[in-house]
Amino acid sequence: MKSSAVASFIRFVVFGGGVGVLSSFAVVGLAMGVPWGVSNAVVTVLSTVLCTELHARYTFGKKRGAEWREHWQSAGSAGVAYLATSLAVFVLGLVQREHSLATEQVVYLGASGLAGVGRFLVLRLFVFAGQRERSARGWRLAA
């Protein structure tokens, strides 16, 4: 049974946010023994793999783990989201050189929220959509 988009989105936020919070602690803990950049890279890769598995099994109800293609596509969407949030903060610096940390957080969190919605749509409509759903959507778009 397919779950509703709202229920899927709630699970997406809970799983993604939960793993994100745990990852923030893991980065700090791991950084006590290795350089922060290495810690961040390791935790980012592991958390992306974990989130992709959770999203495949529970968020989008595939009843199986993610395949390699889905892992790569999910990682690609996470990379695009990372670039979008980085670009937003970079543009803030260009537009307003002197800004508060609160302003930077608002811009980052706003961009992160928009990127998250975009990522959810990509995962739901393309990465974890069944072959029949992708074909039907393509047919409707072509017609």
Side-chain angles (χ1 to χ4, degrees):
M1 172 192 289
K2 277 290 182 195
S3 61
S4 75
V6 172
S8 290
F9 185 72
I10 291 169
R11 287 190 299 272
F12 178 81
V13 170
V14 169
F15 287 128
V19 169
V21 169
L22 293 175
S23 295
S24 68
F25 290 110
V27 167
V28 171
L30 189 57
M32 291 180 187
V34 299
W36 188 89
V38 172
S39 174
N40 188 35
V42 167
V43 171
T44 297
V45 168
L46 293 176
S47 66
T48 300
V49 169
L50 176 59
C51 276
T52 301
E53 284 296 319
L54 290 171
H55 292 324
R57 294 174 189 264
Y58 304 110
T59 301
F60 301 110
K62 298 306 274 185
K63 297 183 177 94
R64 60 160 176 76
E67 298 169 357
W68 282 109
R69 174 191 60 81
E70 294 163 332
H71 275 288
W72 283 111
Q73 290 173 327
S74 180
S77 71
V80 170
Y82 170 81
L83 291 174
T85 56
S86 297
L87 181 63
V89 173
F90 176 74
V91 169
L92 171 64
L94 292 176
V95 172
Q96 189 177 38
R97 287 213 184 272
E98 299 293 324
H99 58 269
S100 68
L101 184 57
T103 301
E104 189 169 295
Q105 279 295 91
V106 166
V107 168
Y108 172 77
L109 291 172
S112 184
L114 290 173
V117 169
R119 188 161 184 259
F120 170 77
L121 292 172
V122 166
L123 294 178
R124 181 172 172 89
L125 298 175
F126 299 104
V127 176
F128 293 113
Q131 183 61 40
R132 188 172 15 174
E133 292 169 352
R134 281 193 295 271
S135 297
R137 192 172 29 263
W139 178 256
R140 281 192 304 266
L141 292 175

